[in-house]
Amino acid sequence: MEDTRLLTETVADLVRNGETELLRRVLESQRPEDLADLLEHVDPDVRDAAFEAMAPQQAGHTVVLLDDTVREELLEDLPAARLADMAFDLETDDAVTLLEDTAPDLAADVLRRLDPEDAIEVRELLGYEDESAGRAMAFGAPVARQEMTLRTTIEALRVAADELDEVQAIFVVDGAGRLLGYIPLDVLLLRPEDTPVLEAMRTDVTFAYVDEDQEAAASRARRAGLSVIPIIDARGILRGQITADRLREIEEEEASEDMYRMVGLSEDESVYSSFGFSLKKRLPWLVVNLMTAFLAAWVISFFEKTIERVAILAALQSIVAGQGGNAGIQTLTIVVRGLALGHLDWRNARRTFYKELGLGVANGAAVGAAVALAVLLWNRNLWLAGVIGAAMLLNMVAAAVAGFSVPLALRALKLDPAQASGVFVTTVTDICGFFFFLGLATLVLNQLPQ
């Protein structure tokens, strides 16, 4: 922490004093990870000056580690020659990170300046859809041909050592490059060297297609206990692998993305986003939320006379609605995550629904009993306690139904199930909570404390 503070203060002083040459010497001795941390936390003018002072290759290794927002701002209006110099020493997947948000004509100009072989690989990765397994994969997967032995496999791996990207398993392919199976590292090292590859390999290989969603690929790798997962095309030809680091990044990105979307935030927004960008992304969903809030207020307006006669209802109604909202978000989170990871589909939807419905009843009964007892001890009115307990039970059931149904309805409409589902679920629980509580109170109005 002290080293980070010292680096930040030193760089800021050098920028302010215009000591460019000394700034360059200070920066060239730093690790890319430390420079990325520096660029994300200093003022924009210091950040821009420090980035400009970096050697191209150092800047390339640093910029791919940055938050997307900061990286896009730094790369904006950067000339193709500078970008090409930054991409020169990068791994192919890092070069894709550098170029994927640039304008197509600029990216094409940069690719023309790269080594032809590297340019072909980068162009292939950029050709896959964003957030697909193909875009996330890296070339350089360790491969053995089916006619080889373990000895010749080891020798081939040693020859290609500089080109390999993370050796966790050796993938076996036929003469056309189609994936047949894999050899675990322990088998490669412990079995006799003259063992044929076809005899040593395992055929229960877990893989993903290039056009599959990267989250589905990461989920499949996790379920299979794999640290890497091979990626194949429609013909079954091995194209690359998603490495352990990238799998971990995908899971972190997708978890954050789902969390953001459920509350109406854009996954593109971060603490580094500008005021205008954040306002543009947040305001529309807040307007939607405002409209749904008016629906809840409209329901309450039907019971104005009831609230006028029993003022305590105004204080208690928010408890029913609030607890329902919490329960609905719990169910919603499980369902959205299940849909995203492929754990929930038509085969187990009914079973999952009944489970969530049962949880709604059980939780509603437990919480309803607790709040009824609290109200009874506080107000000494059995009817009021019964009303809030029953309303709580009914609203918890409604929360379970809404939390399960809303994301499935969005999926049926070919919309992202995570996109602001929370807004709609809490709207349902607010409306139902107020309706159940005030409606039941109206039915037994003469028995309540006036």
Side-chain angles (χ1 to χ4, degrees):
M1 181 66 71
E2 191 64 34
D3 291 342
T4 301
R5 183 181 296 110
L6 178 60
L7 176 62
T8 301
E9 293 174 353
T10 300
V11 169
D13 288 341
L14 292 175
V15 170
R16 280 193 293 269
N17 296 330
E19 300 184 56
T20 305
E21 186 57 36
L22 183 55
L23 173 63
R24 185 175 291 111
R25 292 203 299 271
V26 168
L27 294 175
E28 70 183 9
S29 64
Q30 305 300 320
R31 300 182 309 161
E33 295 84 355
D34 296 330
L35 291 175
D37 181 73
L38 169 75
L39 295 179
E40 288 181 343
H41 291 88
V42 294
D43 293 336
D45 56 341
V46 175
R47 180 191 66 197
D48 294 342
F51 181 67
E52 185 177 351
M54 290 182 191
Q57 292 185 19
Q58 184 185 43
H61 286 285
T62 299
V63 78
V64 297
L65 301 176
L66 293 172
D67 175 84
D68 292 348
T69 301
V70 178
R71 181 170 58 250
E72 289 171 15
E73 291 178 358
L74 284 174
L75 297 182
E76 189 176 8
D77 300 326
L78 210 62
R82 169 77 167 174
L83 278 173
D85 290 340
M86 289 168 56
F88 175 77
D89 194 38
L90 292 178
E91 297 291 339
T92 305
D93 51 340
D94 286 336
V96 170
T97 300
L98 185 70
L99 298 177
E100 61 185 350
D101 293 320
T102 59
D105 56 342
L106 179 59
D109 192 2
V110 172
L111 290 173
R112 283 193 293 270
R113 298 167 185 262
L114 295 180
D115 177 82
E117 187 174 333
D118 292 338
I120 290 172
E121 293 184 347
V122 174
R123 191 175 286 110
E124 177 181 340
L125 294 181
L126 288 173
Y128 297 119
E129 291 291 331
D130 190 29
E131 297 191 357
S132 67
R135 176 68 71 86
M137 74 179 180
F139 295 110
V143 171
R145 296 190 306 277
Q146 62 180 344
E147 68 273 12
M148 297 170 68
T149 64
L150 296 187
R151 177 185 291 109
T152 55
T153 297
I154 293 174
E155 292 171 353
L157 293 175
R158 287 171 178 165
V159 171
D162 292 340
E163 301 175 4
L164 297 180
D165 192 344
E166 197 164 321
V167 181
Q168 297 292 336
I170 294 80
F171 304 113
V172 181
V173 299
D174 63 14
R178 288 186 291 267
L179 182 65
L180 302 177
Y182 73 102
I183 304 173
L185 281 180
D186 58 338
V187 172
L188 180 69
L189 296 175
L190 300 179
R191 292 282 292 272
E193 292 186 345
D194 59 351
T195 304
V197 161
L198 286 179
E199 181 182 324
M201 78 173 186
R202 294 181 57 174
T203 57
D204 57 336
V205 58
T206 299
F207 59 85
Y209 288 101
V210 290
D211 56 355
E212 278 191 83
D213 185 88
Q214 63 178 12
E215 186 175 13
S219 174
R220 192 172 304 150
R222 185 180 64 254
R223 288 200 302 270
L226 300 177
S227 55
V228 299
I229 185 169
I231 307 300
I232 65 175
D233 62 20
R235 298 168 296 171
I237 295 176
L238 180 66
R239 301 306 306 161
Q241 64 177 351
I242 302 182
T243 62
D245 287 345
R246 188 68 187 106
L247 287 173
R248 184 168 56 252
E249 290 173 1
I250 289 170
E251 292 199 332
E252 292 173 355
E253 290 169 3
E254 297 294 345
S256 298
E257 184 177 301
D258 289 346
M259 179 180 68
Y260 271 39
R261 288 181 175 180
M262 282 199 304
V263 294
L265 286 174
S266 168
E267 65 270 21
D268 299 327
E269 186 180 352
S270 71
V271 295
Y272 306 108
S273 300
S274 67
F275 175 85
F277 180 86
S278 295
L279 180 65
K280 182 174 65 175
K281 292 295 183 180
R282 296 188 196 186
L283 187 58
W285 283 112
L286 289 176
V287 172
V288 172
N289 200 20
L290 178 63
M291 296 170 62
T292 59
F294 273 112
L295 289 176
W298 178 65
V299 171
I300 295 174
S301 69
F302 287 106
F303 301 98
E304 286 183 4
K305 293 184 178 179
T306 299
I307 296 174
E308 286 177 1
R309 290 186 56 182
V310 185
I312 195 174
L313 296 177
L316 296 177
Q317 65 185 6
S318 60
I319 298 177
V320 179
Q323 282 297 101
N326 293 337
I329 293 298
Q330 287 180 337
T331 300
L332 174 65
T333 302
I334 294 297
V335 172
V336 167
R337 200 68 182 145
L339 289 171
L341 297 177
H343 298 167
L344 177 63
D345 58 24
W346 62 270
R347 293 170 295 181
N348 62 346
R350 179 176 296 182
R351 182 173 68 252
T352 303
F353 171 74
Y354 286 133
K355 186 199 80 170
E356 293 301 326
L357 186 63
L359 285 170
V361 173
N363 289 332
V367 176
V371 73
L373 178 61
V375 168
L376 181 61
L377 294 175
W378 174 34
N379 195 263
R380 305 290 181 180
N381 187 286
L382 186 62
W383 287 96
L384 181 60
V387 164
I388 195 169
M392 186 70 75
L393 170 61
L394 292 172
N395 201 30
M396 292 286 237
V397 172
V401 173
F404 183 86
S405 302
V406 167
L408 289 178
L410 292 176
R411 168 67 67 87
L413 294 172
K414 300 189 183 305
L415 300 174
D416 187 345
Q419 187 66 54
S421 295
V423 173
F424 299 112
V425 170
T426 53
T427 297
V428 171
T429 55
D430 283 350
I431 291 175
C432 290
F434 293 139
F435 178 77
F436 291 142
F437 181 58
L438 297 176
L440 290 173
T442 301
L443 292 177
V444 295
L445 185 60
N446 293 331
Q447 308 297 327
L448 300 181
Q450 305 297 314

